[in-house]
PDB file of all heavy atoms in Angstrom:
ATOM      1  N   PRO A 107       7.077  28.641  52.381  1.00 90.00           N
ATOM      2  CA  PRO A 107       7.630  29.676  53.265  1.00 90.00           C
ATOM      3  C   PRO A 107       7.163  31.096  52.921  1.00 90.00           C
ATOM      4  O   PRO A 107       7.208  31.985  53.767  1.00 90.00           O
ATOM      5  CB  PRO A 107       9.146  29.552  53.080  1.00 90.00           C
ATOM      6  CG  PRO A 107       9.362  28.172  52.589  1.00 90.00           C
ATOM      7  CD  PRO A 107       8.140  27.818  51.807  1.00 90.00           C
ATOM      8  N   LEU A 108       6.697  31.305  51.696  1.00 90.00           N
ATOM      9  CA  LEU A 108       6.252  32.639  51.300  1.00 90.00           C
ATOM     10  C   LEU A 108       4.930  33.049  51.953  1.00 90.00           C
ATOM     11  O   LEU A 108       4.617  34.233  52.003  1.00 90.00           O
ATOM     12  CB  LEU A 108       6.111  32.736  49.777  1.00 90.00           C
ATOM     13  CG  LEU A 108       7.391  32.627  48.964  1.00 90.00           C
ATOM     14  CD1 LEU A 108       7.086  32.739  47.477  1.00 90.00           C
ATOM     15  CD2 LEU A 108       8.389  33.693  49.383  1.00 90.00           C
ATOM     16  N   GLU A 109       4.173  32.074  52.450  1.00 89.00           N
ATOM     17  CA  GLU A 109       2.871  32.378  53.034  1.00 89.00           C
ATOM     18  C   GLU A 109       2.964  33.403  54.158  1.00 89.00           C
ATOM     19  O   GLU A 109       2.073  34.226  54.326  1.00 89.00           O
ATOM     20  CB  GLU A 109       2.193  31.093  53.536  1.00 89.00           C
ATOM     21  CG  GLU A 109       1.694  30.223  52.430  1.00 89.00           C
ATOM     22  CD  GLU A 109       0.951  28.998  52.936  1.00 89.00           C
ATOM     23  OE1 GLU A 109       0.812  28.821  54.171  1.00 89.00           O
ATOM     24  OE2 GLU A 109       0.498  28.217  52.097  1.00 89.00           O
ATOM     25  N   SER A 110       4.035  33.363  54.916  1.00 89.00           N
ATOM     26  CA  SER A 110       4.183  34.308  56.028  1.00 89.00           C
ATOM     27  C   SER A 110       4.925  35.581  55.613  1.00 89.00           C
ATOM     28  O   SER A 110       5.039  36.507  56.416  1.00 89.00           O
ATOM     29  CB  SER A 110       4.934  33.638  57.183  1.00 89.00           C
ATOM     30  OG  SER A 110       6.226  33.246  56.754  1.00 89.00           O
ATOM     31  N   LEU A 111       5.389  35.648  54.372  1.00 89.00           N
ATOM     32  CA  LEU A 111       6.206  36.786  53.950  1.00 89.00           C
ATOM     33  C   LEU A 111       5.525  37.743  52.977  1.00 89.00           C
ATOM     34  O   LEU A 111       6.037  38.831  52.726  1.00 89.00           O
ATOM     35  CB  LEU A 111       7.505  36.273  53.308  1.00 89.00           C
ATOM     36  CG  LEU A 111       8.385  35.390  54.183  1.00 89.00           C
ATOM     37  CD1 LEU A 111       9.545  34.827  53.371  1.00 89.00           C
ATOM     38  CD2 LEU A 111       8.898  36.164  55.387  1.00 89.00           C
ATOM     39  N   VAL A 112       4.403  37.326  52.410  1.00 90.00           N
ATOM     40  CA  VAL A 112       3.701  38.184  51.442  1.00 90.00           C
ATOM     41  C   VAL A 112       2.261  38.395  51.909  1.00 90.00           C
ATOM     42  O   VAL A 112       1.729  37.605  52.691  1.00 90.00           O
ATOM     43  CB  VAL A 112       3.707  37.565  50.024  1.00 90.00           C
ATOM     44  CG1 VAL A 112       5.116  37.423  49.497  1.00 90.00           C
ATOM     45  CG2 VAL A 112       2.978  36.241  49.980  1.00 90.00           C
ATOM     46  N   PRO A 113       1.620  39.466  51.411  1.00 89.00           N
ATOM     47  CA  PRO A 113       0.211  39.679  51.767  1.00 89.00           C
ATOM     48  C   PRO A 113      -0.669  38.499  51.348  1.00 89.00           C
ATOM     49  O   PRO A 113      -0.421  37.869  50.315  1.00 89.00           O
ATOM     50  CB  PRO A 113      -0.157  40.937  50.972  1.00 89.00           C
ATOM     51  CG  PRO A 113       1.131  41.606  50.654  1.00 89.00           C
ATOM     52  CD  PRO A 113       2.155  40.529  50.573  1.00 89.00           C
ATOM     53  N   GLN A 114      -1.664  38.183  52.141  1.00 86.00           N
ATOM     54  CA  GLN A 114      -2.535  37.025  51.923  1.00 86.00           C
ATOM     55  C   GLN A 114      -3.167  37.035  50.532  1.00 86.00           C
ATOM     56  O   GLN A 114      -3.248  35.999  49.883  1.00 86.00           O
ATOM     57  CB  GLN A 114      -3.632  36.984  52.999  1.00 86.00           C
ATOM     58  CG  GLN A 114      -4.371  35.679  53.089  1.00 86.00           C
ATOM     59  CD  GLN A 114      -3.474  34.529  53.540  1.00 86.00           C
ATOM     60  OE1 GLN A 114      -2.494  34.720  54.239  1.00 86.00           O
ATOM     61  NE2 GLN A 114      -3.824  33.334  53.129  1.00 86.00           N
ATOM     62  N   GLY A 115      -3.575  38.181  50.040  1.00 86.00           N
ATOM     63  CA  GLY A 115      -4.216  38.269  48.731  1.00 86.00           C
ATOM     64  C   GLY A 115      -3.289  37.939  47.575  1.00 86.00           C
ATOM     65  O   GLY A 115      -3.738  37.652  46.469  1.00 86.00           O
ATOM     66  N   MET A 116      -2.005  37.969  47.817  1.00 90.00           N
ATOM     67  CA  MET A 116      -1.015  37.708  46.771  1.00 90.00           C
ATOM     68  C   MET A 116      -0.728  36.216  46.605  1.00 90.00           C
ATOM     69  O   MET A 116      -0.209  35.789  45.570  1.00 90.00           O
ATOM     70  CB  MET A 116       0.275  38.454  47.116  1.00 90.00           C
ATOM     71  CG  MET A 116       1.279  38.527  46.025  1.00 90.00           C
ATOM     72  SD  MET A 116       2.711  39.493  46.507  1.00 90.00           S
ATOM     73  CE  MET A 116       2.058  41.148  46.352  1.00 90.00           C
ATOM     74  N   LEU A 117      -1.077  35.409  47.574  1.00 91.00           N
ATOM     75  CA  LEU A 117      -0.753  33.978  47.543  1.00 91.00           C
ATOM     76  C   LEU A 117      -1.366  33.250  46.350  1.00 91.00           C
ATOM     77  O   LEU A 117      -0.747  32.362  45.777  1.00 91.00           O
ATOM     78  CB  LEU A 117      -1.171  33.302  48.843  1.00 91.00           C
ATOM     79  CG  LEU A 117      -0.305  33.617  50.050  1.00 91.00           C
ATOM     80  CD1 LEU A 117      -0.872  32.962  51.298  1.00 91.00           C
ATOM     81  CD2 LEU A 117       1.127  33.176  49.820  1.00 91.00           C
ATOM     82  N   GLU A 118      -2.581  33.636  45.977  1.00 91.00           N
ATOM     83  CA  GLU A 118      -3.223  32.978  44.835  1.00 91.00           C
ATOM     84  C   GLU A 118      -2.420  33.201  43.562  1.00 91.00           C
ATOM     85  O   GLU A 118      -2.218  32.276  42.773  1.00 91.00           O
ATOM     86  CB  GLU A 118      -4.654  33.492  44.647  1.00 91.00           C
ATOM     87  CG  GLU A 118      -5.413  32.741  43.581  1.00 91.00           C
ATOM     88  CD  GLU A 118      -6.859  33.192  43.470  1.00 91.00           C
ATOM     89  OE1 GLU A 118      -7.471  33.547  44.494  1.00 91.00           O
ATOM     90  OE2 GLU A 118      -7.362  33.162  42.339  1.00 91.00           O
ATOM     91  N   ASP A 119      -1.926  34.432  43.358  1.00 91.00           N
ATOM     92  CA  ASP A 119      -1.094  34.710  42.182  1.00 91.00           C
ATOM     93  C   ASP A 119       0.208  33.921  42.232  1.00 91.00           C
ATOM     94  O   ASP A 119       0.660  33.384  41.222  1.00 91.00           O
ATOM     95  CB  ASP A 119      -0.774  36.206  42.101  1.00 91.00           C
ATOM     96  CG  ASP A 119      -1.975  37.035  41.696  1.00 91.00           C
ATOM     97  OD1 ASP A 119      -2.885  36.486  41.047  1.00 91.00           O
ATOM     98  OD2 ASP A 119      -2.003  38.231  42.047  1.00 91.00           O
ATOM     99  N   ILE A 120       0.817  33.855  43.407  1.00 93.00           N
ATOM    100  CA  ILE A 120       2.083  33.137  43.553  1.00 93.00           C
ATOM    101  C   ILE A 120       1.881  31.644  43.320  1.00 93.00           C
ATOM    102  O   ILE A 120       2.716  30.981  42.705  1.00 93.00           O
ATOM    103  CB  ILE A 120       2.713  33.416  44.934  1.00 93.00           C
ATOM    104  CG1 ILE A 120       3.146  34.890  44.992  1.00 93.00           C
ATOM    105  CG2 ILE A 120       3.879  32.495  45.220  1.00 93.00           C
ATOM    106  CD1 ILE A 120       3.586  35.355  46.355  1.00 93.00           C
ATOM    107  N   ASN A 121       0.762  31.113  43.767  1.00 93.00           N
ATOM    108  CA  ASN A 121       0.465  29.689  43.591  1.00 93.00           C
ATOM    109  C   ASN A 121       0.074  29.329  42.161  1.00 93.00           C
ATOM    110  O   ASN A 121       0.216  28.179  41.750  1.00 93.00           O
ATOM    111  CB  ASN A 121      -0.656  29.251  44.530  1.00 93.00           C
ATOM    112  CG  ASN A 121      -0.220  29.173  45.965  1.00 93.00           C
ATOM    113  OD1 ASN A 121       0.964  29.063  46.273  1.00 93.00           O
ATOM    114  ND2 ASN A 121      -1.173  29.242  46.878  1.00 93.00           N
ATOM    115  N   SER A 122      -0.423  30.282  41.387  1.00 92.00           N
ATOM    116  CA  SER A 122      -0.987  29.941  40.073  1.00 92.00           C
ATOM    117  C   SER A 122       0.070  29.674  39.003  1.00 92.00           C
ATOM    118  O   SER A 122      -0.116  28.787  38.179  1.00 92.00           O
ATOM    119  CB  SER A 122      -1.955  31.028  39.608  1.00 92.00           C
ATOM    120  OG  SER A 122      -1.268  32.231  39.331  1.00 92.00           O
ATOM    121  N   SER A 123       1.159  30.431  38.982  1.00 92.00           N
ATOM    122  CA  SER A 123       2.206  30.201  37.975  1.00 92.00           C
ATOM    123  C   SER A 123       3.449  30.993  38.340  1.00 92.00           C
ATOM    124  O   SER A 123       3.387  31.951  39.103  1.00 92.00           O
ATOM    125  CB  SER A 123       1.730  30.601  36.569  1.00 92.00           C
ATOM    126  OG  SER A 123       1.690  32.011  36.438  1.00 92.00           O
ATOM    127  N   ILE A 124       4.553  30.609  37.752  1.00 93.00           N
ATOM    128  CA  ILE A 124       5.809  31.324  37.999  1.00 93.00           C
ATOM    129  C   ILE A 124       5.728  32.744  37.454  1.00 93.00           C
ATOM    130  O   ILE A 124       6.221  33.687  38.064  1.00 93.00           O
ATOM    131  CB  ILE A 124       7.029  30.555  37.434  1.00 93.00           C
ATOM    132  CG1 ILE A 124       8.331  31.267  37.777  1.00 93.00           C
ATOM    133  CG2 ILE A 124       6.963  30.393  35.959  1.00 93.00           C
ATOM    134  CD1 ILE A 124       9.164  30.547  38.757  1.00 93.00           C
ATOM    135  N   PHE A 125       5.078  32.908  36.307  1.00 95.00           N
ATOM    136  CA  PHE A 125       4.927  34.235  35.723  1.00 95.00           C
ATOM    137  C   PHE A 125       4.105  35.139  36.637  1.00 95.00           C
ATOM    138  O   PHE A 125       4.495  36.280  36.922  1.00 95.00           O
ATOM    139  CB  PHE A 125       4.285  34.140  34.335  1.00 95.00           C
ATOM    140  CG  PHE A 125       4.021  35.484  33.710  1.00 95.00           C
ATOM    141  CD1 PHE A 125       5.061  36.210  33.164  1.00 95.00           C
ATOM    142  CD2 PHE A 125       2.745  36.010  33.689  1.00 95.00           C
ATOM    143  CE1 PHE A 125       4.832  37.451  32.595  1.00 95.00           C
ATOM    144  CE2 PHE A 125       2.506  37.253  33.126  1.00 95.00           C
ATOM    145  CZ  PHE A 125       3.548  37.979  32.569  1.00 95.00           C
ATOM    146  N   SER A 126       2.972  34.626  37.112  1.00 94.00           N
ATOM    147  CA  SER A 126       2.125  35.404  38.028  1.00 94.00           C
ATOM    148  C   SER A 126       2.850  35.694  39.334  1.00 94.00           C
ATOM    149  O   SER A 126       2.698  36.775  39.903  1.00 94.00           O
ATOM    150  CB  SER A 126       0.828  34.652  38.325  1.00 94.00           C
ATOM    151  OG  SER A 126       0.075  34.502  37.154  1.00 94.00           O
ATOM    152  N   ALA A 127       3.641  34.744  39.805  1.00 94.00           N
ATOM    153  CA  ALA A 127       4.397  34.945  41.041  1.00 94.00           C
ATOM    154  C   ALA A 127       5.403  36.082  40.867  1.00 94.00           C
ATOM    155  O   ALA A 127       5.522  36.958  41.737  1.00 94.00           O
ATOM    156  CB  ALA A 127       5.115  33.653  41.440  1.00 94.00           C
ATOM    157  N   HIS A 128       6.104  36.080  39.750  1.00 94.00           N
ATOM    158  CA  HIS A 128       7.077  37.152  39.495  1.00 94.00           C
ATOM    159  C   HIS A 128       6.382  38.509  39.437  1.00 94.00           C
ATOM    160  O   HIS A 128       6.848  39.478  40.033  1.00 94.00           O
ATOM    161  CB  HIS A 128       7.825  36.888  38.185  1.00 94.00           C
ATOM    162  CG  HIS A 128       9.084  36.120  38.384  1.00 94.00           C
ATOM    163  ND1 HIS A 128      10.317  36.708  38.369  1.00 94.00           N
ATOM    164  CD2 HIS A 128       9.299  34.803  38.619  1.00 94.00           C
ATOM    165  CE1 HIS A 128      11.248  35.792  38.577  1.00 94.00           C
ATOM    166  NE2 HIS A 128      10.645  34.627  38.731  1.00 94.00           N
ATOM    167  N   LYS A 129       5.290  38.557  38.720  1.00 95.00           N
ATOM    168  CA  LYS A 129       4.541  39.811  38.564  1.00 95.00           C
ATOM    169  C   LYS A 129       4.056  40.318  39.920  1.00 95.00           C
ATOM    170  O   LYS A 129       4.192  41.509  40.237  1.00 95.00           O
ATOM    171  CB  LYS A 129       3.373  39.572  37.610  1.00 95.00           C
ATOM    172  CG  LYS A 129       2.712  40.802  37.108  1.00 95.00           C
ATOM    173  CD  LYS A 129       1.701  40.428  36.028  1.00 95.00           C
ATOM    174  CE  LYS A 129       0.880  41.624  35.659  1.00 95.00           C
ATOM    175  NZ  LYS A 129      -0.152  41.287  34.692  1.00 95.00           N
ATOM    176  N   ALA A 130       3.490  39.423  40.729  1.00 93.00           N
ATOM    177  CA  ALA A 130       2.969  39.817  42.041  1.00 93.00           C
ATOM    178  C   ALA A 130       4.087  40.268  42.980  1.00 93.00           C
ATOM    179  O   ALA A 130       3.973  41.302  43.646  1.00 93.00           O
ATOM    180  CB  ALA A 130       2.198  38.649  42.667  1.00 93.00           C
ATOM    181  N   ILE A 131       5.168  39.519  43.027  1.00 93.00           N
ATOM    182  CA  ILE A 131       6.276  39.855  43.931  1.00 93.00           C
ATOM    183  C   ILE A 131       6.947  41.158  43.515  1.00 93.00           C
ATOM    184  O   ILE A 131       7.285  41.994  44.357  1.00 93.00           O
ATOM    185  CB  ILE A 131       7.280  38.687  44.008  1.00 93.00           C
ATOM    186  CG1 ILE A 131       6.641  37.512  44.750  1.00 93.00           C
ATOM    187  CG2 ILE A 131       8.569  39.121  44.696  1.00 93.00           C
ATOM    188  CD1 ILE A 131       7.429  36.228  44.689  1.00 93.00           C
ATOM    189  N   GLU A 132       7.129  41.347  42.211  1.00 93.00           N
ATOM    190  CA  GLU A 132       7.753  42.584  41.738  1.00 93.00           C
ATOM    191  C   GLU A 132       6.899  43.805  42.066  1.00 93.00           C
ATOM    192  O   GLU A 132       7.422  44.906  42.239  1.00 93.00           O
ATOM    193  CB  GLU A 132       8.040  42.490  40.242  1.00 93.00           C
ATOM    194  CG  GLU A 132       9.191  41.547  39.939  1.00 93.00           C
ATOM    195  CD  GLU A 132       9.328  41.189  38.460  1.00 93.00           C
ATOM    196  OE1 GLU A 132       8.467  41.612  37.646  1.00 93.00           O
ATOM    197  OE2 GLU A 132      10.281  40.464  38.136  1.00 93.00           O
ATOM    198  N   SER A 133       5.581  43.617  42.170  1.00 92.00           N
ATOM    199  CA  SER A 133       4.706  44.747  42.508  1.00 92.00           C
ATOM    200  C   SER A 133       4.874  45.190  43.965  1.00 92.00           C
ATOM    201  O   SER A 133       4.482  46.294  44.324  1.00 92.00           O
ATOM    202  CB  SER A 133       3.244  44.383  42.242  1.00 92.00           C
ATOM    203  OG  SER A 133       2.762  43.471  43.217  1.00 92.00           O
ATOM    204  N   LEU A 134       5.466  44.347  44.802  1.00 89.00           N
ATOM    205  CA  LEU A 134       5.687  44.699  46.206  1.00 89.00           C
ATOM    206  C   LEU A 134       6.714  45.817  46.361  1.00 89.00           C
ATOM    207  O   LEU A 134       6.577  46.682  47.221  1.00 89.00           O
ATOM    208  CB  LEU A 134       6.192  43.478  46.994  1.00 89.00           C
ATOM    209  CG  LEU A 134       5.204  42.399  47.335  1.00 89.00           C
ATOM    210  CD1 LEU A 134       5.931  41.212  47.965  1.00 89.00           C
ATOM    211  CD2 LEU A 134       4.134  42.924  48.272  1.00 89.00           C
ATOM    212  N   GLY A 135       7.752  45.751  45.531  1.00 86.00           N
ATOM    213  CA  GLY A 135       8.852  46.697  45.696  1.00 86.00           C
ATOM    214  C   GLY A 135       9.596  46.401  46.993  1.00 86.00           C
ATOM    215  O   GLY A 135       9.288  45.462  47.724  1.00 86.00           O
ATOM    216  N   GLY A 136      10.598  47.159  47.275  1.00 85.00           N
ATOM    217  CA  GLY A 136      11.313  47.003  48.535  1.00 85.00           C
ATOM    218  C   GLY A 136      12.523  46.108  48.437  1.00 85.00           C
ATOM    219  O   GLY A 136      12.893  45.608  47.369  1.00 85.00           O
ATOM    220  N   ASP A 137      13.149  45.917  49.600  1.00 87.00           N
ATOM    221  CA  ASP A 137      14.420  45.189  49.678  1.00 87.00           C
ATOM    222  C   ASP A 137      14.287  43.678  49.557  1.00 87.00           C
ATOM    223  O   ASP A 137      15.252  42.997  49.208  1.00 87.00           O
ATOM    224  CB  ASP A 137      15.107  45.500  51.022  1.00 87.00           C
ATOM    225  CG  ASP A 137      15.457  46.968  51.159  1.00 87.00           C
ATOM    226  OD1 ASP A 137      15.605  47.633  50.117  1.00 87.00           O
ATOM    227  OD2 ASP A 137      15.582  47.440  52.307  1.00 87.00           O
ATOM    228  N   THR A 138      13.123  43.129  49.866  1.00 89.00           N
ATOM    229  CA  THR A 138      12.982  41.669  49.904  1.00 89.00           C
ATOM    230  C   THR A 138      12.572  41.063  48.566  1.00 89.00           C
ATOM    231  O   THR A 138      12.492  39.842  48.453  1.00 89.00           O
ATOM    232  CB  THR A 138      11.938  41.256  50.964  1.00 89.00           C
ATOM    233  OG1 THR A 138      10.680  41.829  50.615  1.00 89.00           O
ATOM    234  CG2 THR A 138      12.368  41.697  52.347  1.00 89.00           C
ATOM    235  N   VAL A 139      12.328  41.878  47.556  1.00 92.00           N
ATOM    236  CA  VAL A 139      11.841  41.363  46.268  1.00 92.00           C
ATOM    237  C   VAL A 139      12.787  40.304  45.696  1.00 92.00           C
ATOM    238  O   VAL A 139      12.345  39.231  45.291  1.00 92.00           O
ATOM    239  CB  VAL A 139      11.614  42.505  45.254  1.00 92.00           C
ATOM    240  CG1 VAL A 139      11.381  41.964  43.854  1.00 92.00           C
ATOM    241  CG2 VAL A 139      10.431  43.347  45.671  1.00 92.00           C
ATOM    242  N   SER A 140      14.084  40.589  45.661  1.00 93.00           N
ATOM    243  CA  SER A 140      15.008  39.621  45.050  1.00 93.00           C
ATOM    244  C   SER A 140      15.053  38.320  45.837  1.00 93.00           C
ATOM    245  O   SER A 140      15.146  37.239  45.245  1.00 93.00           O
ATOM    246  CB  SER A 140      16.410  40.214  44.902  1.00 93.00           C
ATOM    247  OG  SER A 140      16.961  40.507  46.156  1.00 93.00           O
ATOM    248  N   GLU A 141      14.954  38.391  47.169  1.00 93.00           N
ATOM    249  CA  GLU A 141      14.943  37.165  47.972  1.00 93.00           C
ATOM    250  C   GLU A 141      13.676  36.351  47.725  1.00 93.00           C
ATOM    251  O   GLU A 141      13.734  35.123  47.627  1.00 93.00           O
ATOM    252  CB  GLU A 141      15.054  37.514  49.452  1.00 93.00           C
ATOM    253  CG  GLU A 141      16.398  38.086  49.841  1.00 93.00           C
ATOM    254  CD  GLU A 141      16.401  38.602  51.279  1.00 93.00           C
ATOM    255  OE1 GLU A 141      15.603  38.087  52.097  1.00 93.00           O
ATOM    256  OE2 GLU A 141      17.194  39.503  51.556  1.00 93.00           O
ATOM    257  N   LEU A 142      12.537  37.031  47.619  1.00 93.00           N
ATOM    258  CA  LEU A 142      11.274  36.336  47.363  1.00 93.00           C
ATOM    259  C   LEU A 142      11.265  35.712  45.967  1.00 93.00           C
ATOM    260  O   LEU A 142      10.796  34.582  45.788  1.00 93.00           O
ATOM    261  CB  LEU A 142      10.097  37.297  47.529  1.00 93.00           C
ATOM    262  CG  LEU A 142       9.887  37.885  48.923  1.00 93.00           C
ATOM    263  CD1 LEU A 142       8.761  38.913  48.909  1.00 93.00           C
ATOM    264  CD2 LEU A 142       9.612  36.798  49.944  1.00 93.00           C
ATOM    265  N   LEU A 143      11.793  36.444  44.991  1.00 95.00           N
ATOM    266  CA  LEU A 143      11.879  35.896  43.633  1.00 95.00           C
ATOM    267  C   LEU A 143      12.793  34.680  43.593  1.00 95.00           C
ATOM    268  O   LEU A 143      12.524  33.723  42.858  1.00 95.00           O
ATOM    269  CB  LEU A 143      12.382  36.964  42.655  1.00 95.00           C
ATOM    270  CG  LEU A 143      11.404  38.084  42.320  1.00 95.00           C
ATOM    271  CD1 LEU A 143      12.069  39.134  41.446  1.00 95.00           C
ATOM    272  CD2 LEU A 143      10.139  37.551  41.668  1.00 95.00           C
ATOM    273  N   GLN A 144      13.845  34.710  44.382  1.00 95.00           N
ATOM    274  CA  GLN A 144      14.763  33.562  44.436  1.00 95.00           C
ATOM    275  C   GLN A 144      14.051  32.322  44.975  1.00 95.00           C
ATOM    276  O   GLN A 144      14.261  31.215  44.479  1.00 95.00           O
ATOM    277  CB  GLN A 144      15.995  33.895  45.285  1.00 95.00           C
ATOM    278  CG  GLN A 144      17.099  32.882  45.189  1.00 95.00           C
ATOM    279  CD  GLN A 144      17.719  32.811  43.799  1.00 95.00           C
ATOM    280  OE1 GLN A 144      17.883  33.817  43.126  1.00 95.00           O
ATOM    281  NE2 GLN A 144      18.050  31.615  43.363  1.00 95.00           N
ATOM    282  N   VAL A 145      13.193  32.502  45.972  1.00 95.00           N
ATOM    283  CA  VAL A 145      12.422  31.369  46.514  1.00 95.00           C
ATOM    284  C   VAL A 145      11.527  30.784  45.424  1.00 95.00           C
ATOM    285  O   VAL A 145      11.475  29.565  45.227  1.00 95.00           O
ATOM    286  CB  VAL A 145      11.583  31.805  47.743  1.00 95.00           C
ATOM    287  CG1 VAL A 145      10.609  30.706  48.157  1.00 95.00           C
ATOM    288  CG2 VAL A 145      12.483  32.191  48.900  1.00 95.00           C
TER     289      VAL A 145
END
Side-chain angles (χ1 to χ4, degrees):
L108 294 180
E109 287 183 0
S110 61
L111 301 173
V112 298
Q114 194 65 28
M116 192 177 283
L117 287 176
E118 186 176 326
D119 288 335
I120 292 171
N121 288 339
S122 68
S123 74
I124 184 111
F125 176 76
S126 296
H128 268 258
K129 193 172 171 184
I131 290 170
E132 288 168 356
S133 73
L134 285 173
D137 297 336
T138 61
V139 169
S140 63
E141 292 172 27
L142 297 175
L143 288 175
Q144 191 66 38
V145 170

